[in-house]
Amino acid sequence: MMSLHDDRWKPRLLECEIPASNPKSLQISKPKKVNLRPHFLLLKFAFLPGFKYPVAKTGLPLWMLGLDADRLRADLNRLLAFLFHQGILDEQYLQLQQLQDESSPNFVSEVVNIYFHESEKLLRNLRSLLMDREFSDYDKMGIHLNQFIGSSSSIGAKRVRNVCVAFRAASDQNNRAGCLRALELLEHEYCILKNKLHELFQIEQQRLLAAGVRYPMLN
Amino acid sequence: MRVERVISDENDSFPVGMRVLAVDDDPTCLLLLETLLTKCKYNVTTTSQAITALKMLRENKNKFDLVISDVHMPDMDGFKLLELVGLEMDLPVIMLSANGDTKLVMEGITHGACDYLLKPVRIEELQNIWQHVIRRKKFDRKDRDGSGSQDKPYIDSSEAAGLGNVDHNGKFNKKRKDQNEDEDEERDENGHDNEDLSTQKKPRVVWSVELHRKFVAAVNQLGIEKAVPKKILELMNVENLTRENVASHLQKFRLYLKRISCVANQQANMAAALGSVDSTHLRMGTMNGLGNFHTLAGPDQIHNAAFRSFQHSGVLRRLNTPAGVGISGLPSSGLVQLSPVQNLGNTSTYQRKLQSFVIPGNHNANILQGMPMSLEFYQLQNNRAASHVGQFPSVDNTTVLPVSSISGSLIDAGCSNSPLLGVTSNSLLLEGSSQLPTLHASNLRDSVSGFPNRSTLSDFTSIAPASNQLHGSKADIQDQAFPISCNAGKIISSAPQDWNAPKKDAPYQSNVPSCSINSLRAVNGDMAQLGQCLDQNNPIFNRNVGFDFVDPLSIKCSEGENLAMEPSVIEKEGYLMVQPSRQGIYIPDNEGENFAMEPSVIEKEGYLIVQPRRQGSYIPGNLGSLEDLASAMTKQVSIITSISCGNFFFS
């Protein structure tokens, strides 16, 4: 019977370094060798990329002891405050969080996933439109941009939205150079947003795990 | 949860469970909207396609209480959906957009939106949307019962206050009446109401075609500006009609007139338009006309709806009644306009024609044609002093609308055109099939675009001059407008006769219209504009316009008219004959009586009314020769626009 004190656990816990998760997905990638009994399922989610887990005397990682929940929550708040301060996110994101509850426990990550998916499509379309040498259909670009503005503002992605608005203004003036610049800026801002949101979700997941571990019976 | 519950039990947790339909092509926003609405305890259904939304709404009119829709959608313009929903289902619609331009908001209002929200949507805003449902119910009930407001102004304010958009309200009210038309064509006070909103209402007067004719006649007699409910009531001399009923009807009528001018692409519910002879006229006219056409040409649902509408017995009845087609309750004088609708009523033929019509929205044109005429009629009266031209445009609008619906590109683009242009295009459209389409389209565009900015009167005025110039009188018209072919003149002069024998007229060669257009162009400087319009639009419109115009006429004629069916015909057809109308709006009516009324009206104003070609005037692909036109004209005066106007109004 497996126990947490098995040797196979120690190295895993101490030295596991999972390759960075696929940025396209908010799911935390699983460790390669997973053969955990259900009762150790929790540990799956514990394998965060690039994380070296400190191990307590009992051999359990600290996070498993649930002591990190508060720390993680503090991390989360700090990150959120940073993002608000930088203007990357705004209050609308908080509204999203408020909508998440027991009836829709993964609401925020669902919406954000959809947003990423759609936005990448839009960005590809915009780029292909602008790369076309004979591009002249600014109206079409305007339509894409409208959608981008709408979804970004619904997510609370303030900076992305602002760049889109500027982009739309350039497009209305048929200013191709301006549009190209705006597209570059937009892609850049979008990357920042995506990375930060990934980070946010990771911390959130860790926090949930840590909070959950404290009371395993409740899981 | 039914709306009735709200009325019956104010203490009920009404907003809870209110059924909302959310439409947005952006999945992010759609999911967010759905969650927000669920959080507000509404019952939410979502879809990302406008077409699906329409289907859902149509399959059961009572399934939803409110609709929230995005403005920019790939399959259908949000405003179009808005109008359709407003016309067909009379539901409150809230627009949603990331773009908060004043222009767009204005457009939303003109198309009848209850509200316009900006993304990101906040939950606070959504928590109060139920007020739109209640408000509509309350004011609708009040309006129907004719209670509470004796005067037009009063009603205006109450309704306006209620909906925050008089036009919108008027439209919805008319639409409601439309929906009730099917139930009772006769003038009757009954409590028929097949809508939730009306279940709580007291029995109301149903504005049948006859009733409406009398009403329009009375209003014409008094002058649209001087028409007061009390006097109208006296003139109408109808039992069991209260001043309140007349007042509310008058308000709706005025709203309708205004609405017509604002509608660019309306796809009215043909069924409503065709099927309901009663009260729905005003709104029906515009909306139905458009919708019907649209439906016919558009997706299957619409197509079926159109046919259904055509098949509606009411349509046939309308055809037969002087009151005209599609517009119920319009007084005979003004109901001539209805006659076009009647044509539509000729379901079998029309349907065939419609089906064959390649251009969607042609049907709309018909209906619109009917309606606008009525509008024009009134407008003319109102604008006597101002300018006849202004009124004319309204006609154009109606006529144009169908065209526009058909050729969406043309029409949509055209909204911004000057009314005069619109007028001219309308008249031109009326006149010549090929030319008409272009004119029409341009007119539509013009009128459509122009309307929001102008009063309908002005629209008319713009048209009136053109029309006036074209046809100072019947004789003049012949001389001026149709130098090439006296068809126009003949048509005009012979219109009365033709009108009297609408159905029997032989198919009208479209040549006549085209000639008339040409002549118009030649005659009138204004027409020159039209000519330009025609030229530009010709290629596009020909096809479409012909269709549009043909529809009303063809419907009327219904006999052996294959106008609708063939695109070529359409091209030739689609014109409105500009007739020297005194009133400016001449609605050719199949029934002699309508026709008779019009000339008198026309004479007063001396406007040139472009009327859609009546039956027979539609000649597939023969437009060319004047001689043909002449012959065609003589056979029948088909005033597409008039017909369509009447249709619009009534429908």
Side-chain angles (χ1 to χ4, degrees):
Chain A
M1 161 151 174
M2 253 168 53
S3 94
L4 284 174
H5 303 286
D6 273 358
D7 280 346
R8 70 160 92 177
W9 283 107
K10 276 193 185 146
R12 214 171 282 148
L13 292 170
L14 284 172
E15 293 158 9
C16 78
E17 279 259 351
I18 310 295
S21 58
N22 182 358
K24 294 252 181 257
S25 137
L26 288 182
Q27 298 291 330
I28 295 177
S29 41
K30 300 180 186 173
K32 292 195 180 137
K33 294 177 251 183
V34 175
N35 187 9
L36 305 168
R37 296 243 179 125
H39 124 103
F40 290 116
L41 244 119
L42 258 179
L43 295 176
K44 276 198 221 174
F45 301 98
F47 292 102
L48 297 172
F51 211 112
K52 288 215 192 273
Y53 302 91
V55 176
K57 274 191 197 167
T58 57
L60 278 174
L62 277 177
W63 61 261
M64 275 205 73
L65 291 175
L67 297 176
D68 277 355
D70 295 331
R71 180 175 67 80
L72 286 169
R73 191 183 297 122
D75 280 349
L76 192 69
N77 292 338
R78 202 180 313 127
L79 179 55
L80 267 177
F82 170 76
L83 292 176
F84 283 122
H85 181 261
Q86 293 286 307
I88 295 175
L89 286 181
D90 63 14
E91 301 80 33
Q92 180 67 18
Y93 186 78
L94 290 179
Q95 290 239 348
L96 282 189
Q97 286 191 322
Q98 282 168 15
L99 285 175
Q100 182 164 296
D101 56 14
E102 301 79 32
S103 63
S104 52
N106 299 317
F107 173 67
V108 182
S109 62
E110 263 177 51
V111 176
V112 175
N113 263 335
I114 295 175
Y115 169 71
F116 285 155
H117 185 69
E118 288 294 311
S119 302
E120 274 147 37
K121 251 199 310 195
L122 285 173
L123 282 172
R124 278 198 295 273
N125 288 342
L126 286 169
R127 185 151 279 280
S128 67
L129 273 177
L130 276 177
M131 289 298 114
D132 179 8
R133 218 174 293 163
E134 290 138 12
F135 168 68
S136 63
D137 195 354
Y138 288 95
D139 286 341
K140 196 154 171 216
M141 205 152 65
I143 293 174
H144 287 317
L145 285 172
N146 247 336
Q147 186 180 337
F148 211 155
I149 292 176
S151 53
S152 303
S153 52
S154 301
I155 294 291
K158 193 159 79 165
R159 282 218 303 230
V160 171
R161 180 190 168 275
N162 291 342
V163 175
C164 280
V165 171
F167 195 157
R168 186 171 62 183
S171 158
D172 289 344
Q173 294 156 14
N174 290 7
N175 176 0
R176 180 130 183 247
C179 288
L180 275 166
R181 277 198 302 274
L183 179 64
E184 300 279 339
L185 189 56
L186 181 62
E187 286 170 344
H188 175 70
E189 283 297 332
Y190 174 77
C191 276
I192 294 176
L193 174 76
K194 190 163 182 186
N195 287 335
K196 289 301 172 196
L197 282 176
H198 267 291
E199 208 177 312
L200 245 165
F201 285 121
Q202 282 177 7
I203 298 179
E204 180 66 25
Q205 286 233 348
Q206 287 179 42
R207 188 183 73 82
L208 283 176
L209 281 175
V213 161
R214 201 189 294 237
Y215 306 103
M217 297 309 222
L218 297 177
N219 284 343
Chain B
M1 168 181 147
R2 311 307 262 184
V3 167
E4 304 124 334
R5 278 210 292 177
V6 183
I7 299 178
S8 57
D9 179 6
E10 297 300 328
N11 296 331
D12 192 20
S13 59
F14 163 56
V16 173
M18 183 175 83
R19 298 153 306 160
V20 182
L21 175 64
V23 189
D24 193 339
D25 62 322
D26 181 5
T28 319
C29 297
L30 193 60
L31 178 58
L32 177 65
L33 193 60
E34 182 183 359
T35 314
L36 283 171
L37 289 169
T38 310
K39 198 89 179 182
C40 294
K41 306 216 186 80
Y42 300 138
N43 189 316
V44 191
T45 315
T46 61
T47 172
S48 64
Q49 298 199 331
I51 307 217
T52 318
L54 267 179
K55 196 151 53 127
M56 280 199 263
L57 286 166
R58 282 181 180 146
E59 57 179 274
N60 183 356
K61 292 202 166 141
N62 298 330
K63 209 165 150 201
F64 298 103
D65 296 315
L66 181 73
V67 179
I68 300 184
S69 162
D70 187 33
V71 167
H72 303 283
M73 287 193 286
D75 58 344
M76 186 191 292
D77 185 31
F79 294 129
K80 211 191 295 182
L81 174 67
L82 157 64
E83 287 200 14
L84 279 178
V85 172
L87 276 176
E88 294 183 27
M89 293 113 208
D90 194 19
L91 287 175
V93 182
I94 295 180
M95 301 309 292
L96 196 58
S97 176
N99 193 339
D101 268 0
T102 314
K103 268 192 302 150
L104 277 181
V105 180
M106 191 58 175
E107 233 189 294
I109 295 177
T110 17
H111 285 84
C114 275
D115 204 351
Y116 194 106
L117 300 178
L118 288 186
K119 291 183 186 174
V121 180
R122 294 195 310 275
I123 196 163
E124 299 84 22
E125 293 171 346
L126 291 179
Q127 266 161 357
N128 285 334
I129 56 176
W130 58 267
Q131 64 178 291
H132 300 293
V133 179
I134 298 275
R135 188 183 291 133
R136 171 167 302 198
K137 267 186 321 190
K138 277 209 191 307
F139 283 100
D140 183 37
R141 186 174 35 166
K142 203 197 283 187
D143 180 61
R144 287 186 201 223
D145 296 342
S147 64
S149 102
Q150 305 296 326
D151 299 335
K152 199 168 21 78
Y154 183 95
I155 294 179
D156 278 344
S157 60
S158 67
E159 287 186 344
L163 290 184
N165 181 343
V166 175
D167 280 355
H168 184 56
N169 189 30
K171 177 181 73 156
F172 281 118
N173 286 338
K174 291 185 196 91
K175 186 165 186 291
R176 235 170 271 118
K177 283 193 172 175
D178 262 359
Q179 291 178 345
N180 289 323
E181 276 184 14
D182 294 353
E183 295 173 1
D184 188 355
E185 281 227 324
E186 303 190 8
R187 182 167 58 80
D188 181 14
E189 277 181 315
N190 58 35
H192 269 235
D193 244 341
N194 54 5
E195 294 185 24
D196 283 348
L197 293 181
S198 55
T199 47
Q200 306 286 332
K201 302 189 168 55
K202 300 181 232 164
R204 63 184 191 90
V205 173
V206 175
W207 284 83
S208 66
V209 172
E210 310 290 338
L211 198 54
H212 188 72
R213 275 178 184 241
K214 289 200 178 135
F215 173 81
V216 173
V219 173
N220 287 339
Q221 205 167 323
L222 293 168
I224 191 73
E225 275 162 3
K226 292 214 176 93
V228 191
K230 195 165 182 180
K231 289 192 190 155
I232 296 176
L233 188 61
E234 287 166 15
L235 278 176
M236 281 176 72
N237 194 19
V238 161
E239 295 177 353
N240 294 332
L241 198 63
T242 67
R243 204 185 78 176
E244 293 82 352
N245 294 336
V246 174
S248 67
H249 192 68
L250 178 63
Q251 186 204 17
K252 289 201 175 79
F253 189 49
R254 289 185 186 210
L255 288 176
Y256 167 73
L257 294 181
K258 241 189 277 178
R259 187 90 187 96
I260 294 295
S261 64
C262 294
V263 170
N265 244 351
Q266 295 184 7
Q267 298 176 352
N269 191 343
M270 285 187 84
L274 293 174
S276 56
V277 178
D278 302 334
S279 56
T280 50
H281 30 274
L282 284 183
R283 213 161 46 141
M284 292 287 292
T286 41
M287 296 308 195
N288 290 330
L290 288 173
N292 287 336
F293 286 97
H294 185 74
T295 54
L296 284 176
D300 289 343
Q301 321 161 346
I302 300 180
H303 194 74
N304 292 333
F307 284 108
R308 280 197 299 274
S309 61
F310 283 118
Q311 288 173 344
H312 197 286
S313 58
V315 176
L316 289 171
R317 262 187 307 219
R318 280 196 301 257
L319 287 174
N320 298 326
T321 59
V325 189
I327 300 178
S328 63
L330 284 180
S332 51
S333 57
L335 288 180
V336 173
Q337 304 169 346
L338 288 178
S339 53
V341 178
Q342 292 177 350
N343 285 338
L344 294 176
N346 202 333
T347 59
S348 57
T349 29
Y350 188 82
Q351 287 183 353
R352 285 198 301 274
K353 292 182 188 167
L354 291 173
Q355 284 176 340
S356 59
F357 276 114
V358 178
I359 302 159
N362 285 336
H363 307 297
N364 293 330
N366 291 334
I367 300 197
L368 286 176
Q369 291 173 351
M371 294 290 277
M373 288 306 287
S374 56
L375 277 180
E376 295 177 302
F377 186 75
Y378 286 98
Q379 290 296 345
L380 287 171
Q381 287 179 329
N382 294 333
N383 293 327
R384 252 170 259 179
S387 56
H388 299 306
V389 176
Q391 299 202 350
F392 204 82
S394 63
V395 178
D396 289 343
N397 289 331
T398 55
T399 53
V400 175
L401 286 174
V403 180
S404 56
S405 57
I406 296 177
S407 53
S409 57
L410 288 174
I411 297 175
D412 292 335
C415 287
S416 50
N417 298 331
S418 65
L420 180 57
L421 196 59
V423 179
T424 52
S425 58
N426 286 335
S427 51
L428 288 177
L429 289 172
L430 291 172
E431 291 301 337
S433 58
S434 58
Q435 291 163 346
L436 282 175
T438 55
L439 286 175
H440 201 67
S442 56
N443 286 335
L444 279 175
R445 285 185 298 197
D446 294 341
S447 36
V448 178
S449 56
F451 280 111
N453 306 326
R454 289 177 266 261
S455 65
T456 47
L457 291 184
S458 62
D459 288 333
F460 281 110
T461 49
S462 61
I463 297 181
S467 60
N468 283 334
Q469 296 178 16
L470 289 172
H471 308 285
S473 63
K474 292 195 175 177
D476 289 346
I477 293 176
Q478 297 187 9
D479 299 336
Q480 307 164 2
F482 311 97
I484 301 175
S485 65
C486 297
N487 295 330
K490 288 187 215 171
I491 297 175
I492 295 170
S493 52
S494 60
Q497 300 106 29
D498 289 342
W499 288 107
N500 289 331
K503 308 252 173 105
K504 296 165 198 165
D505 291 341
Y508 200 90
Q509 290 301 311
S510 57
N511 294 339
V512 177
S514 57
C515 292
S516 54
I517 295 182
N518 292 325
S519 56
L520 287 175
R521 263 202 291 195
V523 177
N524 199 338
D526 292 42
M527 298 314 267
Q529 284 183 353
L530 288 172
Q532 295 164 11
C533 303
L534 289 176
D535 294 339
Q536 295 157 10
N537 303 325
N538 230 348
I540 309 172
F541 281 100
N542 286 346
R543 178 171 295 268
N544 296 329
V545 175
F547 190 80
D548 290 335
F549 289 105
V550 178
D551 285 344
L553 292 179
S554 57
I555 294 177
K556 272 197 187 171
C557 299
S558 73
E559 279 81 60
E561 297 283 348
N562 292 334
L563 306 176
M565 307 312 275
E566 299 154 22
S568 60
V569 174
I570 297 176
E571 295 185 21
K572 315 258 164 102
E573 274 297 315
Y575 45 76
L576 298 170
M577 300 206 342
V578 179
Q579 296 187 347
S581 64
R582 274 130 346 143
Q583 289 276 344
I585 301 176
Y586 186 92
I587 300 172
D589 188 68
N590 288 332
E591 323 299 333
E593 116 183 37
N594 288 332
F595 191 87
M597 297 186 59
E598 291 169 340
S600 61
V601 175
I602 297 173
E603 272 164 348
K604 282 188 224 166
E605 298 295 332
Y607 297 130
L608 185 61
I609 297 178
V610 180
Q611 296 182 342
R613 201 168 39 144
R614 278 202 313 171
Q615 330 167 347
S617 58
Y618 187 83
I619 296 174
N622 291 334
L623 294 179
S625 61
L626 289 177
E627 293 75 32
D628 292 344
L629 282 175
S631 56
M633 297 279 288
T634 48
K635 285 180 191 173
Q636 112 186 81
V637 178
S638 57
I639 301 183
I640 299 177
T641 51
S642 59
I643 294 176
S644 59
C645 294
N647 287 338
F648 284 117
F649 184 73
F650 287 100
S651 55

